[in-house]
Amino acid sequence: MMMIKEIRASYTVEAAGVMAVVFFVMMILINQAFHVHGETVGCFRVHEEVEWERHKALDMDEEEITRQGQGMRWSLELTAPIFRPEEALRMWSLLE
């Protein structure tokens, strides 16, 4: 006596529908993850550029550095003061 298991066709159709929804949701989540990654990397690059420029500027007459970055769904404008360690050292020497 041989036992043959058969699955009704309705189960396979339901499974195909569920898998289509699961794959669609996974596609949306991966797409959103790429956008978040792109925004994070872009903002980090703007921050890094501002930090390099504000510490490199020794003989500049500017008081602030402003940089902008823009991506697909984000934009960032960052302003930071020029790093002048000699001013802080002068203030400390006054206290002494």
Side-chain angles (χ1 to χ4, degrees):
M1 205 150 131
M2 209 162 160
M3 294 178 68
I4 298 175
K5 284 188 167 183
E6 292 183 5
I7 298 176
R8 293 191 324 213
S10 63
Y11 288 137
T12 57
V13 170
E14 288 173 8
V18 169
M19 289 306 292
V21 171
V22 167
F23 286 143
F24 184 71
V25 169
M26 291 298 293
M27 181 182 65
I28 290 172
L29 290 175
I30 290 172
N31 187 27
Q32 291 301 315
F34 279 122
H35 282 294
V36 169
H37 177 264
E39 180 179 353
T40 304
V41 168
C43 290
F44 185 82
R45 285 184 181 159
V46 173
H47 279 273
E48 187 178 29
E49 183 180 345
V50 166
E51 287 299 317
W52 276 104
E53 290 294 323
R54 74 184 283 253
H55 284 82
K56 189 169 38 172
L58 297 175
D59 299 326
M60 296 178 93
D61 295 331
E62 299 178 35
E63 292 294 319
E64 294 180 332
I65 292 194
T66 302
R67 295 292 182 264
Q68 295 178 351
Q70 189 172 5
M72 184 178 255
R73 288 192 231 169
W74 63 274
S75 64
L76 175 70
E77 181 175 346
L78 188 63
T79 302
I82 298 288
F83 180 67
R84 306 245 188 248
E86 65 275 3
E87 292 176 8
L89 293 173
R90 285 188 198 121
M91 294 305 239
W92 280 106
S93 66
L94 287 175
L95 289 174
E96 292 178 352

